[in-house]
Amino acid sequence: MKLGIRTKLFVLSLSLIALSLGISYGYLRRTLDANLTLRIEQDLQQRLRLVAYTAERAQLVPSDPKRWQETARALSPLCAARVTLLRSDGMPLADSDVEDDGLAGLPNHLGRPEIAEAQQHGYGRSTRQSATLRRRMMYVAMPFRQADGNVGVARLAMPLLDVDQAMAQLHLVLLVAAVLGLGVAVLMSSAAAHLAARSLQKLTDTAHRMARGDLGTRARSEGEDELAVLGRDLDSLADTLSRALAELSRLASLRREFVANASHELRTPLATLLSAVETLRAGAAHDPAATRTFLDIIYRQASRMHALVNDLLDLSRLESKASKLPLGPLPLLEVVRQVVALSLPRAVERQQRLTLAPQLPPCRVLADRRSLEQVLTNLLDNAIKYCPAGTEIVVSWTASPKSPPPGAEVTVSVADTGPGIAADHLPRLFERFYRIDTGRSRALGGTGLGLAIVRHAVEAMGGQVAVRSTVGQGTTFTFTLRLVEVGTEAAA
């Protein structure tokens, strides 16, 4: 049978209460019995000394059994106990509760534990159930010297009525207490189990709704106990799952958009290639001039596809969490000079001025050389490609003092005096395949991935990228790199 949490808590509470009452009863019963018995024994021991002393002073001899019986019967009321006087061999000389003619029929008492102990140690005691009276009796015994010089034994026997009555009262009190305690316990444990079960049921219902997809539900537990903490953790888990699902949805949307954009970018050059090949196969291959024209078309489109595939591979490499860039100290001035020297012929061809800012501080930055060259190349390529003749393009950076503090950065800038970019385009400028002027970008050979590669490469090297632009005044791209050290030689 399946038990609910409420029933389990209720049964557990009752079991603990019943166990506590049982332990308490056993302890109290044993303690009370021992204490009462000890007090009765101490009292009986004092009376026994009186009996032994009186028997010795009476100067009784075994040949006068009548005086023995008279002495025992006289002492019995004084002691409020049964008095038995025995010879050293254990045979009764007198017994206050036995008639004279029945004395000879009493058995030998030498084997009784209190008699044997008294003869060995001077005092003996025993508590046992009386077969005759059918009740618990306490026996105490002590040696005494008879008139003929032999040692006899005086014994007192007393029923433990006070102890038995006290134990009976204890049973009654504990029974009443147990009934009352169990009654109160039933109410309290039932209430506690109900409260605990209600909180657990609320958490269970919340978890079930979350499992069915309702991540908007919340436990909203209050308090500081374990159930409240569990409820808050459950709410925190739901918040985390909601954010994760939103991120997964966003990534799925980006993936669909990326596949659509990549397919579109590849479809156009592929269509041009197929058209050129079909034209050549249809007979244009026999015309040398037409052949050169279509081969130029095939070359341009194949180059465009090659650039697109390379950019896709670079972007995939930078976005991969498993791929870490091999960062190390690099001389920034040396790397920038090399990239500027490679880009300079194209700038001159378009009648643009590409320069380094004067008095740049040489410094070493923590970066990956290939990625840093790619970032600078893409930014310069964009500036050269989209700026008209007469535009000035300047590369510069700022660095901290000679001993930079931990976490210091260098900010590299690529600024142009071109037409600028409208403000509504700036937030999406680093998205994949985002273009301000789609037709012009494709005509200039752009893949739409250059700035996305810049952003991912800079972030993979621990920096940030940004853009500022004013229409009609120019555009400035900046990115940061972690600074290792600053040199002393100024740039040429």
Side-chain angles (χ1 to χ4, degrees), residues 403-463:
S403 300
E409 294 179 330
V410 58
T411 302
V412 183
S413 301
V414 176
D416 65 62
T417 57
I421 303 170
D424 57 332
H425 292 293
L426 295 181
R428 300 190 60 190
L429 209 57
F430 294 98
E431 293 181 10
R432 293 171 291 189
F433 297 113
Y434 184 78
R435 292 185 175 91
I436 298 174
D437 185 344
T438 304
R440 183 164 179 260
S441 177
R442 289 199 179 96
L444 294 173
T447 64
L449 296 174
L451 291 180
I453 291 174
V454 168
R455 186 191 71 181
H456 284 285
V458 170
E459 290 177 354
M461 291 185 289

Side-chain angles (χ1 to χ4, degrees), residues 224-489:
E224 297 299 328
D225 59 5
E226 290 81 357
L227 292 179
V229 173
L230 178 60
R232 288 194 288 272
D233 289 344
L234 194 61
D235 290 347
S236 177
L237 176 61
D239 291 338
T240 303
L241 287 175
S242 297
R243 290 193 295 269
L245 287 176
E247 180 66 16
L248 286 175
S249 178
R250 187 185 72 83
L251 291 176
S253 177
L254 289 175
R255 182 186 62 81
R256 290 192 297 269
E257 183 181 351
F258 174 77
V259 171
N261 288 330
S263 301
H264 179 72
E265 293 294 331
L266 288 170
R267 183 172 57 187
T268 301
L270 279 174
T272 305
L273 284 172
L274 288 173
S275 178
V277 172
E278 288 175 356
T279 303
L280 289 173
R281 291 180 64 186
H286 300 295
D287 183 352
T291 299
R292 284 194 298 273
T293 299
F294 284 109
L295 285 176
D296 288 341
I297 293 174
I298 292 172
Y299 176 77
R300 285 197 305 273
Q301 297 303 322
S303 298
R304 180 179 168 187
M305 291 178 62
H306 182 263
L308 179 60
V309 170
N310 281 340
D311 283 351
L312 286 173
L313 290 174
D314 287 339
L315 190 59
S316 176
R317 174 179 62 88
L318 291 169
E319 288 181 333
S320 174
K321 300 298 183 183
S323 176
K324 298 291 184 180
L325 295 180
L327 304 181
L330 293 177
L332 181 60
L333 181 60
E334 176 188 325
V335 176
V336 172
R337 277 178 171 171
Q338 290 177 357
V339 175
V340 169
L342 292 174
S343 301
L344 189 59
R346 292 177 52 243
V348 171
E349 182 183 349
R350 293 180 58 85
Q351 299 179 14
Q352 298 164 340
R353 186 183 175 203
L354 174 59
T355 61
L356 288 177
Q359 301 299 316
L360 291 174
C363 58
R364 296 170 71 81
V365 294
L366 191 65
D368 170 51
R369 191 180 192 99
R370 176 188 172 190
S371 298
L372 179 55
E373 290 175 349
Q374 191 173 30
V375 167
L376 291 168
T377 299
N378 284 352
L379 292 178
L380 290 176
D381 183 63
N382 265 15
I384 294 169
K385 194 183 298 180
Y386 297 110
C387 290
T391 300
E392 183 177 8
I393 303 170
V394 180
V395 181
S396 63
W397 61 83
T398 57
S400 302
K402 293 182 180 180
S403 300
E409 294 179 330
V410 58
T411 302
V412 183
S413 301
V414 176
D416 65 62
T417 57
I421 303 170
D424 57 332
H425 292 293
L426 295 181
R428 300 190 60 190
L429 209 57
F430 294 98
E431 293 181 10
R432 293 171 291 189
F433 297 113
Y434 184 78
R435 292 185 175 91
I436 298 174
D437 185 344
T438 304
R440 183 164 179 260
S441 177
R442 289 199 179 96
L444 294 173
T447 64
L449 296 174
L451 291 180
I453 291 174
V454 168
R455 186 191 71 181
H456 284 285
V458 170
E459 290 177 354
M461 291 185 289
Q464 297 291 328
V465 65
V467 59
R468 303 188 309 274
S469 186
T470 303
V471 176
Q473 296 184 18
T475 302
T476 300
F477 285 90
T478 61
F479 64 92
T480 59
L481 295 170
R482 282 177 283 181
L483 185 60
V484 177
E485 61 180 347
V486 181
T488 56
E489 182 182 355

